[in-house]
Amino acid sequence: MSNHLSKEDILCFFNLEDENIEDISLTNRDNLFIATVSLCPDYPPCPSCGFERVKIKDYTTKKINHSIFTDRECLINYRARRYRCPICKRSYYEHNPFTFRSSKISALTVQNILRDLKN
């Protein structure tokens, strides 16, 4: 694999749009490819009360296995943003484009496994 990936390649690998990325960095060590990703804040309304002026509460780093490459492991360190509603005090995560709810493997990994089982 080349150490010189274009931004378009990176966005394609992770199924992202340029306007959704706040920050992304790539590290390639031995047989491990690590992408550290932060998405742009979108301030979704509170799922409980619908209030639209929520605040950012904190960030949590989620480690997600991502099988885009066949010759090396790939890990996404996703810096997930948590929001807090000032009205009802509920906190919740932003939308995670990499995984299904409460999963530690990417949706693409699940898709690749199902495709391989089908064959």
Side-chain angles (χ1 to χ4, degrees), residues 44-51 54 85 87-92:
C46 176
S48 291
C49 70
F51 188 69
V54 296
C85 177
I87 302 299
C88 69
K89 308 299 185 213
R90 177 172 178 192
S91 64
Y92 54 96

Side-chain angles (χ1 to χ4, degrees), residues 19-84:
E19 62 269 6
N20 296 337
I21 300 295
E22 183 176 75
D23 186 40
I24 187 164
S25 65
L26 305 172
T27 307
N28 190 7
R29 297 187 219 134
D30 301 323
N31 279 335
L32 181 61
F33 185 78
I34 302 170
T36 304
V37 180
S38 294
L39 301 176
C40 291
D42 60 352
Y43 299 96
C46 176
S48 291
C49 70
F51 188 69
E52 294 185 357
R53 296 182 61 196
V54 296
K55 307 288 184 196
I56 296 174
K57 178 183 177 188
D58 59 13
Y59 295 85
T60 302
T61 300
K62 296 184 176 196
K63 296 183 184 308
I64 302 167
N65 291 319
H66 188 64
S67 68
I68 190 72
F69 304 112
T70 56
D71 63 335
R72 66 187 65 224
E73 288 184 66
C74 182
L75 179 71
I76 300 172
N77 287 330
Y78 167 47
R79 193 166 176 248
R81 190 176 285 107
R82 288 184 52 81
Y83 293 100
R84 182 173 174 98

